[in-house]
Amino acid sequence: MADKNVYKPRPISGFPEWSPEVRRTEQRWIDTIRRVFESYGYGNLETPSVEELDVLLAKGETDKEIYTLQRLHEGDGDEGGEARLGLHYDLTVPFARYAAQHFGELVFPFKRYQIQRVWRGERPQEGRFREFYQCDVDVIDLNGVSLTFDAEMAEVAHAVLSTLGIGPFRLRLSNRKILQGYLAGLGVADVIPAIRLLDKLDKIGAEGVVEALQVQLGLAAETAQRCVALAEISSSDASFVEAVRVLGVENELIDEGLEELVFVIEALGHLPEGRVVADLSLARGFDYYTGTVYEGAFLDYSDFGSICSGGRYDDLAGSFINQHLPGVGISIGLTRIFSKLVAEERLDLSRFSPTDVLVVLPGEEVRAVAAGVAQTLRGRGFNVELYHEPTKIGKQLRYAARKEIPFVWFPPFKPGETVHEVKDMAAGVQAEADAETWTPGG
RNA sequence: GUGACCGUAGCUCAGUCGGUUAGAGCGCCAGGUUGUGGCCCUGGAGGUCGGGGGUUCAAAUCCCCUCGGUCACCCCA
């Protein structure tokens, strides 16, 4: 034993691995999400875990932490060691590739959802993984996507999050055109970095942002202040428009953005108060978003990261096909949400095992009877396991108790006997039963 | 990628100023007689003290390197 060279297994940080009990709940979540997506008429797509690097990097965002795929011995031959494939970093890019590739067969507007793992080679942290599930819904259309869909995305995300019962949350919406037009109107050159800084408003505060804009981007104090003034605007109705007008910067792009955001916010007016708000500091997400942007967060854990996000993009598939394919979509961070609720012990892990009934095996001479009961119950839709060996009854019961199996079935202990009994483990009561008619309730 | 902190049984941790066979609780396994779980009692298994090197008569303890982890930044679900 001492000289046995064992590899001591350890978890790999950033790659979640749930126990069967927890995983069971996660699978229920996935089922729920799928049903909600389908209830809005979205069809499923599953793309390979890998894409060609040319596809993954098509937008030129080479700073992304992409895992590449290589054979261990690749490069031994004359093929060279350069990786050609990478694990997908999100689901939007594979979707865009798919849409471009199958362009001729699609029915537009093309609505699909995708629930798959994605991989990012970043440092793990709470709520931040290197392998995690994303649940994406997107619509793409030819020559312009109806703004109706911008509202639908938020509605679907809202439906998913409330159906899952994750506790209080809020979806914040904005439109990049507003911020972009405003910054252009103020003569700010570094639009993207400025947007990133403004997005930190709730994190580092107005003063922090003003200072960062001056120090990092060299903006004048007054300009920085006017930027923050815009970012501070938020409202759950269309009143944000007036607040923007007051700031006195005007151009076409701002008008366009305001008009779109008003349309979307008003279309979502039927959702519960406070669930959806217009928040002009919002700018998070990928650079390719051009119009509406979304971000969802827990209200209970305000400094936890975003739990869903998305937006409208002008032309995602443009790098793959000579067609204009604008779209809008949203992604729900299943793993992030789920892992947080697991950590906070807020998940209803009502039962560990899928087993409804454990059939006791009193002895080999009644195995056939016991197995018959198990089959009968399975035929009636119950999940049933038959104890594998005729050990002490106490041990079999302990097994059921530890797996939190709610019912234990006692077939007759001797051949020739006919009485079956069922024990309700939680109540501790045992009564005669018939496998053909027994029901858990009565 | 940058920075700070942390690594002792499966888990949570104790281990004095360096000192002999490294401990506890929980968990796990087996018993406590013949057909019934949770409680209790008894016993048992389980540790390269993250790894390597150094200082020393002697290292879990001090020093260096390294690997791993956590958190913050970056970025984002």
Side-chain angles (χ1 to χ4, degrees):
Chain A
M1 244 357 221
D3 56 350
K4 193 175 164 195
N5 196 9
V6 293
Y7 169 78
K8 186 177 179 180
R10 61 184 85 228
I12 303 173
S13 174
F15 290 76
E17 180 175 70
W18 307 117
S19 65
E21 301 88 79
V22 177
R23 172 64 179 155
R24 190 161 172 259
T25 300
E26 188 183 42
Q27 280 185 302
R28 275 203 290 260
W29 277 40
I30 292 170
D31 287 344
T32 299
I33 296 167
R34 177 166 54 79
R35 276 197 299 275
V36 173
F37 285 167
E38 290 184 355
S39 77
Y40 281 82
Y42 291 79
N44 186 238
L45 175 66
E46 180 164 278
T47 60
S49 300
V50 291
E51 295 284 342
E52 292 189 22
L53 286 175
D54 287 345
V55 169
L56 294 172
L57 300 172
K59 301 300 282 185
E61 296 174 28
T62 49
D63 54 329
K64 283 181 180 175
E65 294 287 353
I66 291 174
Y67 283 113
T68 60
L69 188 76
Q70 272 176 291
R71 289 184 302 121
L72 192 55
H73 296 293
E74 200 163 302
D76 286 0
D78 52 5
E79 207 176 316
E82 287 287 292
R84 188 174 68 91
L85 303 175
L87 291 166
H88 55 221
Y89 181 90
D90 63 19
L91 299 175
T92 311
V93 168
F95 171 53
R97 188 225 81 218
Y98 179 88
Q101 200 172 324
H102 299 271
F103 175 74
E105 309 147 29
L106 305 181
V107 176
F108 292 100
F110 181 57
K111 306 168 66 171
R112 75 86 240 228
Y113 73 94
Q114 223 168 319
I115 301 174
Q116 287 180 240
R117 293 177 212 253
V118 303
W119 293 267
R120 296 183 187 179
E122 300 178 75
R123 283 274 177 88
Q125 249 168 267
E126 186 194 29
R128 181 208 213 168
F129 299 88
R130 297 196 284 197
E131 174 179 67
F132 59 97
Y133 276 105
Q134 275 193 323
C135 312
D136 277 32
V137 244
D138 289 82
V139 186
I140 50 172
D141 204 352
L142 299 165
N143 309 315
V145 186
S146 164
L147 263 184
T148 308
F149 288 116
D150 294 54
E152 182 163 290
M153 288 305 145
E155 188 178 318
V156 171
H158 177 272
V160 166
L161 296 177
S162 48
T163 306
L164 288 174
I166 64 162
F169 65 90
R170 173 170 296 151
L171 294 175
R172 298 188 299 146
L173 309 204
S174 186
N175 191 302
R176 282 231 175 132
K177 290 177 186 172
I178 301 172
L179 210 43
Q180 244 149 12
Y182 190 85
L183 292 172
L186 288 176
V188 176
D190 304 320
V191 175
I192 298 282
I195 284 177
R196 288 217 176 108
L197 287 175
L198 289 169
D199 192 63
K200 296 188 193 305
L201 185 61
D202 55 342
K203 200 166 186 176
I204 62 177
E207 282 176 33
V209 177
V210 169
E211 196 190 323
L213 285 170
Q214 291 175 252
V215 174
Q216 293 181 33
L217 302 182
L219 298 195
E222 197 220 327
T223 311
Q225 236 131 31
R226 293 182 77 184
C227 290
V228 171
L230 181 84
E232 283 182 314
I233 294 169
S234 84
S235 71
S236 55
D237 55 22
S239 61
F240 62 88
V241 176
E242 263 317 295
V244 174
R245 299 280 184 227
V246 167
L247 298 177
V249 179
E250 289 191 24
N251 61 43
E252 237 175 76
L253 199 54
I254 296 177
D255 291 344
E256 230 175 85
L258 288 173
E259 199 178 310
E260 290 178 9
L261 189 55
V262 166
F263 178 91
V264 174
I265 286 288
E266 290 188 338
L268 294 168
H270 62 287
L271 294 179
E273 177 68 26
R275 288 286 180 75
V276 172
V277 299
D279 182 335
L280 302 192
S281 70
L282 174 59
R284 202 81 83 82
F286 294 115
D287 293 343
Y288 50 65
Y289 295 138
T290 51
T292 308
V293 284
Y294 315 88
E295 178 165 309
F298 283 119
L299 291 183
D300 294 353
Y301 316 111
S302 49
D303 46 0
F304 194 66
S306 71
I307 60 175
C308 78
S309 84
R312 172 180 272 255
Y313 35 90
D314 264 350
D315 185 23
L316 195 65
S319 349
F320 309 127
I321 190 174
N322 193 17
Q323 287 283 345
H324 193 61
L325 284 181
V328 58
I330 198 162
S331 175
I332 293 163
L334 168 60
T335 303
R336 178 172 279 183
I337 300 168
F338 187 77
S339 66
K340 182 60 174 172
L341 296 189
V342 169
E344 297 288 331
E345 297 182 325
R346 275 180 50 180
L347 238 41
D348 178 26
L349 305 171
S350 52
R351 217 205 307 158
F352 278 7
S353 156
T355 308
D356 300 311
V357 181
L358 174 77
V359 177
V360 162
L361 181 59
E364 286 299 345
E365 61 286 1
V366 291
R367 183 185 280 273
V369 179
V373 169
Q375 257 330 92
T376 302
L377 291 171
R378 284 189 196 110
R380 295 182 54 216
F382 296 106
N383 299 331
V384 184
E385 56 183 308
L386 171 62
Y387 201 79
H388 58 284
E389 57 182 4
T391 53
K392 295 195 294 188
I393 303 306
K395 190 172 176 181
Q396 300 191 36
L397 273 167
R398 182 169 145 77
Y399 174 78
R402 295 184 62 198
K403 285 185 74 171
E404 296 185 10
I405 297 170
F407 297 98
V408 172
W409 192 281
F410 293 90
F413 277 64
K414 297 280 183 326
E417 294 178 358
T418 56
V419 177
H420 293 251
E421 292 185 350
V422 175
K423 178 166 190 167
D424 179 328
M425 292 295 280
V429 297
Q430 193 166 327
E432 217 172 292
D434 180 347
E436 300 284 357
T437 58
W438 172 79
T439 54

